[in-house]
Amino acid sequence: MKIKTIAIFVLIVAAFAAGLLLKEHFFEFYDSLNKQVAEMQKINIGSVISKVGKQMLTPPPLQVLGAEKQVDLLKSQIILQTNVQRHQNGSLPALIENKRLDEAASAKASDMFEKQYFEHISPLGLDPGKLVQNHGYEFIVAGENLILGNFSSEEEVVDDWMASSGHRANILNNRYTEIGVAIVKGTYQGQTVWMGVQEFGFPLSACPSPDNILKNTIDSDKQQLDFLYSELGTNKKQIDSLDQTSPTYSQMADDYNKLVAQYEALSSDTKKIISNYNNQVSIFNNCVSE
């Protein structure tokens, strides 16, 4: 009977020793997960947005000579004629009027008359990108067309832009989806003229940003995994220092394996979240770089 009991105990110890050795594989998994998290943490969506948000296409302002004409020009007709050109030159989708871009264009025209300049950058250093952002328009790609002169119709205004390669490129840019326009009459350098402003944009909202909640969850899980890893390392050293016949050995080994199981479950969940987040980042990057 005594021999039988000893034999059973030996089997239990042997079985646990094998299990303990198996559980040590999680140390390698920890290194792998750490690399994944480190790569993910290099991704700064804010800096990506800031970088792509500075893509602004601004051909040199266009001045057209001509005598003053008694006409009233409308921004709605400028937008219409712009979309006519897009349709006739490649069947491009019509640009949708955006209120914030309208406000930016109107502010630009008023500022040019007030400060008597005709440039994309104001005397105070306000560039077109900052201008539209100041009016609440965050963009991936944007552009600005300027024109000054006297015109007989809105069609003539757009035709003059189309005759200039840089302005034509803006009008026919297939990345733009939205437009804002101002066409304002006033006095510039002693002459009565019209100033026309087109603000084009492909909004940031068109590209789905990675879910920041996922990133926060990953950061939180990583902290918990680091804590568990430290605990497991400490427990392993304590177990290794014990005689396997010690009364506390079995209980400590059981606690250790439970902690490993907790670690592995959280690691598995975290890897899935990282994969999901990285997929969202990939989709975002593809959208902004098309």
Side-chain angles (χ1 to χ4, degrees), residues 160-181:
D160 284 337
W161 269 323
M162 288 294 291
S164 164
S165 61
H167 300 88
R168 177 188 179 92
N170 256 347
I171 289 173
L172 301 182
N173 191 314
N174 63 5
R175 294 212 69 196
Y176 297 145
T177 58
E178 298 179 330
I179 188 173
V181 168

Side-chain angles (χ1 to χ4, degrees), residues 70-135:
Q70 297 302 315
V71 295
D72 289 326
L73 303 179
L74 303 175
K75 73 173 182 178
S76 60
Q77 291 301 308
I78 297 286
I79 294 173
L80 174 63
Q81 292 301 321
T82 298
N83 283 328
V84 166
Q85 291 294 339
R86 285 175 64 86
H87 178 72
Q88 291 178 350
N89 293 273
S91 296
L92 298 171
L95 298 173
I96 305 302
E97 185 176 6
N98 180 281
K99 180 181 178 181
R100 290 172 177 170
L101 290 180
D102 276 342
E103 292 171 351
S106 179
K108 176 70 173 182
S110 297
D111 192 57
M112 288 191 294
F113 274 124
E114 180 184 341
K115 295 184 174 63
Q116 291 292 289
Y117 72 96
F118 185 56
E119 301 290 343
H120 289 294
I121 299 177
S122 77
L124 298 180
L126 183 65
D127 61 64
K130 190 63 177 176
L131 170 68
V132 297
Q133 287 177 324
N134 285 351
H135 285 83

Side-chain angles (χ1 to χ4, degrees), residues 14-251:
F16 173 73
L20 188 59
L21 180 61
L22 177 64
K23 295 298 184 183
E24 287 188 45
H25 286 303
F26 90 90
F27 287 102
E28 297 176 6
F29 187 81
Y30 178 80
D31 291 336
S32 173
L33 183 66
N34 260 356
K35 290 178 182 178
Q36 283 185 281
V37 173
E39 287 301 313
M40 184 213 72
Q41 289 175 335
K42 289 179 183 178
I43 301 169
N44 187 334
I45 297 303
S47 66
V48 173
I49 292 172
S50 176
K51 182 178 179 181
V52 299
K54 293 180 181 178
Q55 295 181 8
M56 192 79 195
L57 307 178
T58 54
L62 182 63
Q63 292 195 44
V64 180
L65 299 177
E68 182 180 353
K69 300 175 179 65
Q70 297 302 315
V71 295
D72 289 326
L73 303 179
L74 303 175
K75 73 173 182 178
S76 60
Q77 291 301 308
I78 297 286
I79 294 173
L80 174 63
Q81 292 301 321
T82 298
N83 283 328
V84 166
Q85 291 294 339
R86 285 175 64 86
H87 178 72
Q88 291 178 350
N89 293 273
S91 296
L92 298 171
L95 298 173
I96 305 302
E97 185 176 6
N98 180 281
K99 180 181 178 181
R100 290 172 177 170
L101 290 180
D102 276 342
E103 292 171 351
S106 179
K108 176 70 173 182
S110 297
D111 192 57
M112 288 191 294
F113 274 124
E114 180 184 341
K115 295 184 174 63
Q116 291 292 289
Y117 72 96
F118 185 56
E119 301 290 343
H120 289 294
I121 299 177
S122 77
L124 298 180
L126 183 65
D127 61 64
K130 190 63 177 176
L131 170 68
V132 297
Q133 287 177 324
N134 285 351
H135 285 83
Y137 191 84
E138 295 295 335
F139 61 91
I140 293 170
V141 181
E144 182 180 81
N145 279 353
L146 300 179
I147 195 168
L148 177 155
N150 281 292
F151 314 93
S152 59
S153 67
E154 295 87 355
E155 184 177 1
E156 182 183 347
V157 175
V158 176
D159 283 346
D160 284 337
W161 269 323
M162 288 294 291
S164 164
S165 61
H167 300 88
R168 177 188 179 92
N170 256 347
I171 289 173
L172 301 182
N173 191 314
N174 63 5
R175 294 212 69 196
Y176 297 145
T177 58
E178 298 179 330
I179 188 173
V181 168
I183 185 74
V184 181
K185 194 173 187 179
T187 302
Y188 177 72
Q189 295 183 348
Q191 292 185 326
T192 300
V193 295
W194 289 91
M195 280 194 184
V197 182
Q198 286 179 314
E199 301 291 352
F200 303 95
F202 176 47
L204 179 62
S205 59
C207 290
S209 295
D211 188 350
N212 200 48
I213 294 178
L214 288 182
K215 188 175 186 302
N216 291 338
T217 299
I218 293 168
D219 291 340
S220 176
D221 286 355
K222 179 61 169 56
Q223 291 181 1
Q224 180 64 13
L225 287 167
D226 286 342
F227 173 78
L228 291 174
Y229 180 83
S230 177
E231 287 290 297
L232 285 165
T234 300
N235 291 358
K236 180 65 167 54
K237 289 179 181 179
Q238 291 177 346
I239 292 171
D240 288 344
S241 69
L242 292 175
D243 186 330
Q244 292 188 1
T245 61
S246 168
T248 60
Y249 183 90
S250 179
Q251 183 59 52

